Every structure is written in C-alpha cells, then in structure tokens.
C-alpha cells in the first residue's frame, strides 16, 4: 500500500497556556513526521528498586510540537475517522509502524501487524516491543496500550461528517508513541515492554480481546497493563493530572504517584459510576491474566463535549497539557518497569 505521511508546519507555542491549534495538514510521501524522530532522548535519573524516591530531574523529553506532529496526522480529515477495516486506518498503522522503526522498536510478532481473528473486516493491532536489559526481569512484560481506531463518518454537523477522534483516541496513541520513542532511544528498561496500539476498540474492544487471548495462549509473564484513553484536555478543578479506572481495585495509583514523585493520579467518582474499568482496552487483559490492568485518562465528563462527534478535532486539543502528561509518564513508567519485584497488586 502506498504510504503517506504528513509534512507539518510546526508552529511555535508561546508561554505555557492552552495550545489549541487549528488543524493544517498536507499529505506528502516522506518517512515520518517532523518532531516524531531524530531528537536525542535524555533519560531521567535512574529509577531502581522499590524505593519511594524517584527521579528528581524535571523530565522534558516531549514538546507540544512533538505531540502536534502525531496528532495532526492521526486526527486529520484525510484519515476520515480511522474506522476499523478502512483504507485510512491502514495509513495510521503504517504511521505507527514507522515511528517504531525509526526508534528501534522491534515487531513483537513476525510483523508489526497483528491481524484480528475476531472481526469481520481486515483489521490489525500494531504491536512492537523492546526487550528488557535485566537478565532476571526481562522475561516479565509490561504492556503500554491505547486504541488507534475511531468511528469513521457520522451524521453531518454543520456540514462536517468526519469523526476525527482527536481526543478519542489519537491522544492516548500519542502517549504510547512518545513512550516508545523514549524507551527506544534510551533502552533503560529492565523488564520487557510491549507497545500495543489496538484496532476495533470502538467495535467492542475487539483488538485488545484478540491480543490478550493470543498472549495468554503464549503464557506471557505479564506484570501489568497500562492503558491510555482520552488525555487531550486537562481535567477541571482537580488536584491530580490523571485519573485511573478501577482506582480502588489495586495499588497502581499509589505506585504511579510514588515514581512520579507527586500526586499525578487520583480517583474520579464518575469513572466508578460508569464502570469505565470495563469499557476500555485494559479490561481484556484483566480478564485473561488477572493482573492489574487499568486505564489512565483526563476525560472527566465535564471538560469535553465532543465524544463520538465530528467536533472531536485537533483544534480542541491542548498540546501543552498533553506534552506535560507524556513527560510525567516517563518517570512513572520507568519506575514500574525497573522495580525489583512485582509491587503492583490487586487489593
């Protein structure tokens, strides 16, 4: 398939305010978006063992421009809402593969594409991995996941019928890709990491169900699954940056905050009320492995009115917020993948 990639005009973002930048995309046959590859990664102070202390350096690996480069490809009008089984989502898969290739992330299977067996159209997860550096821990795995599909075309709203899926879930995909770029450059993970971008989440978690079953059949030693969903805009009047679905089911929030060195993750009552723990791609891994598998999000039911609508566009995203989330995830994930023992446990 002919590969297309976006040539972006990166705008300078001034100050630390909200970066809502109107979508301007032009298709061009290059091998990667500006801002996604080519920069030197800086590792935070090493996080080892199960100590309460974590990196004290202010991690500044991801910039708003890096996030914008990813988002303006995945959520562009040309992608037509990334419906599973469509030509456009194949382009998204090629984009994700190229980020993996550029940053030294190997395919977990024979190919980066993991074709779904439980979906009637041809659809596939994109799965890469990086082997752990520790001889004792490298056979334990942490999955970092997000779904990259959306719902395609919808009933027109003011003439716009494209459900771009910027917040849902190009934003979560951007988090996984930035973590892949970071660990691919630094190779400072003791456990092995699987980077999984799921298809057909919008069809009933089909991509994650397929992969969870496939990995379970391989008897994968899975430590935990960290999933990212709808992180494109900040929460309103909260004292934490992210919330965790299934908050009280495990000690993952406590462990996350320990390695972040701050109150990064908290509880959202609405997440429990609507049982979001069972409504995203973490859940099939909980079902298949019975290990802590939860989702991080910033969608608080008051801060975004475009869920599954044509208005879910890059112009509504806060790229400065998203870069901040990515930078704070780096020490958190580093601590989890490098802990001396499996300290994350269900209550």
């Amino acid at each position: 398939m002919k590969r297309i990639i976006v040539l972006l005009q990166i705008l300078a973002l001034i100050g630390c305010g909200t970066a809502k930048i109107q979508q301007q995309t032009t298709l061009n046959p290059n091998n990667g978006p500006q801002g996604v590859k080519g920069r030197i990664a800086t590792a935070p102070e090493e996080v080892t063992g199960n100590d309460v202390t974590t990196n004290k350096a202010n991690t500044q690996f991801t910039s708003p421009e890096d996030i914008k480069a990813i988002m303006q490809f995945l959520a562009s009008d040309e992608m037509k809402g990334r419906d599973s089984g469509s030509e456009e989502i194949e382009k998204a898969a090629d984009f994700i593969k190229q980020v993996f290739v550029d940053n030294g992330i190997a395919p977990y299977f024979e190919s980066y594409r993991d074709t779904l067996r439980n979906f009637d159209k041809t659809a596939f997860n994109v799965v890469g991995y990086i082997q752990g550096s520790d001889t004792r821990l490298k056979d334990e795995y942490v999955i970092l996941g997000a779904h990259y599909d959306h719902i395609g075309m919808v009933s027109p709203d003011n003439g716009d019928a494209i459900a771009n899926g910027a917040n849902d879930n190009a934003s979560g995909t951007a988090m996984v890709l930035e973590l892949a770029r970071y660990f691919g450059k630094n190779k400072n993970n003791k456990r092995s990491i699987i980077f999984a971008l799921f298809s057909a989440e919008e069809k009933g978690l089909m991509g994650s169900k397929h992969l969870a079953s496939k990995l379970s059949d391989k008897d994968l030693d899975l430590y935990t699954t960290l999933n990212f969903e709808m992180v494109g805009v900040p929460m309103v009047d909260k004292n934490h940056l992210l919330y965790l679905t299934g908050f009280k089911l495990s000690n993952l929030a406590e462990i996350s905050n320990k390695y972040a060195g701050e109150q990064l993750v908290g509880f959202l009552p609405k997440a429990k009320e609507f049982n979001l723990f069972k409504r995203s791609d973490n859940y099939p891994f909980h079902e298949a492995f019975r290990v802590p598998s939860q989702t991080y999000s910033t969608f608080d039911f008051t801060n975004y009115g475009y869920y599954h609508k044509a208005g879910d566009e890059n112009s509504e995203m806060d790229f400065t917020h998203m870069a901040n989330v990515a930078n704070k995830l780096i020490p958190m994930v580093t601590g989890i993948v490098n802990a001396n023992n499996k300290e994350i446990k269900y209550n």
Side-chain angles (χ1 to χ4, degrees):
M1 184 192 73
K2 182 178 179 182
R3 178 175 300 150
I4 64 170
I5 301 295
V6 172
L7 178 63
L8 301 170
Q9 295 179 341
I10 302 300
L11 304 179
L13 302 179
I14 302 173
C16 60
T18 297
K20 292 185 177 180
I21 302 175
Q22 293 292 336
Q23 184 178 358
Q24 301 286 338
T25 55
T26 305
L27 297 181
N28 191 52
N30 290 319
N31 66 349
Q34 295 178 9
V36 173
K37 64 171 187 172
R39 296 194 302 108
I40 298 174
T42 303
E45 182 181 325
E46 186 178 5
V47 181
T48 59
N50 297 348
D51 296 334
V52 174
T53 56
T54 183
N55 71 300
K56 299 200 171 43
N58 183 21
T59 303
Q60 292 298 322
F61 175 73
T62 294
S63 71
E65 292 88 350
D66 295 323
I67 296 295
K68 182 188 174 188
I70 297 169
M71 295 291 290
Q72 286 205 312
F73 181 84
L74 292 176
S76 66
D77 282 351
E78 287 84 354
M79 300 304 289
K80 297 181 181 177
R82 305 186 310 278
D83 196 11
S84 293
S86 69
E87 177 182 345
E88 289 73 26
I89 201 171
E90 286 206 34
K91 297 171 185 176
D94 282 346
F95 174 92
I96 292 165
K97 171 188 172 181
Q98 193 62 49
V99 174
F100 285 170
V101 170
D102 290 342
N103 292 285
I105 306 299
Y108 181 76
F109 301 110
E110 292 183 3
S111 165
Y112 288 101
R113 292 188 178 191
D114 169 39
T115 303
L116 272 57
R117 297 174 301 205
N118 57 355
F119 188 62
D120 57 356
K121 294 183 179 180
T122 300
F124 29 80
N125 303 317
V126 186
V127 187
Y129 97 111
I130 180 170
Q131 188 177 57
S133 61
D134 185 270
T135 55
R136 180 176 64 89
L137 297 176
K138 68 180 182 179
D139 291 329
E140 298 177 6
Y141 285 79
V142 172
I143 293 176
L144 305 179
H147 74 91
Y148 74 107
D149 68 304
H150 197 47
I151 60 174
M153 308 295 285
V154 296
S155 298
D157 182 6
N158 292 324
D160 184 4
I162 301 172
N164 299 73
N167 201 22
D168 185 15
N169 188 38
S171 66
T173 300
M175 295 301 111
V176 175
L177 292 182
E178 281 298 280
L179 288 167
R181 188 167 68 88
Y182 171 80
F183 285 105
K185 296 296 184 184
N186 285 287
K187 303 291 194 298
N188 60 339
N189 53 297
K190 293 183 179 181
R191 287 182 175 82
S192 296
I193 304 175
I194 291 175
F195 303 94
L197 285 310
F198 306 112
S199 189
E201 187 268 359
E202 301 289 359
K203 311 301 183 183
L205 312 182
M206 303 305 287
S208 53
K209 287 178 180 177
H210 163 85
L211 184 60
S213 175
K214 191 171 181 178
L215 294 178
S216 179
D217 288 344
K218 288 170 57 70
D219 292 325
L220 184 84
D221 187 356
L222 180 62
Y223 173 28
T224 187
T225 298
L226 312 179
N227 190 57
F228 303 93
E229 176 96 43
M230 297 183 71
V231 293
V233 295
M235 294 189 289
V236 178
D237 297 330
K238 304 292 189 298
N239 64 355
H240 46 89
L241 188 61
L242 299 151
Y243 68 85
L244 190 67
T245 66
F247 182 87
K248 296 180 181 180
L249 296 177
S250 79
N251 65 344
L252 179 55
E254 175 187 347
I255 298 301
S256 297
N257 291 336
K258 176 175 77 170
Y259 290 121
E262 62 180 282
Q263 188 69 17
L264 177 64
V265 180
F267 173 63
L268 185 75
K270 283 284 187 183
K272 181 178 180 181
E273 178 184 345
F274 287 95
N275 201 11
L276 297 189
F277 174 69
K278 294 185 177 182
R279 294 176 61 182
S280 192
D281 290 306
N282 60 285
Y283 190 65
F285 294 93
H286 159 77
E287 290 273 272
F289 289 93
R290 294 293 166 175
V291 299
S293 303
Q294 293 164 264
T295 292
Y296 300 83
S297 181
T298 66
F299 172 67
D300 68 7
F301 295 83
T302 70
N303 62 347
Y304 202 68
Y306 301 106
Y307 174 70
H308 282 193
K309 295 180 180 178
D312 185 7
E313 301 201 28
N314 282 323
S315 58
E316 301 299 322
M317 296 295 95
D318 185 339
F319 297 135
T320 299
H321 155 77
M322 293 177 67
N324 185 40
V325 170
N327 285 323
K328 290 181 182 296
L329 288 176
I330 287 171
M332 182 199 87
V333 175
T334 301
I336 289 171
V337 300
N338 289 340
N340 286 332
N341 54 55
K342 293 181 177 180
E343 56 188 345
I344 302 170
K345 300 180 185 300
Y346 276 135
N347 294 327

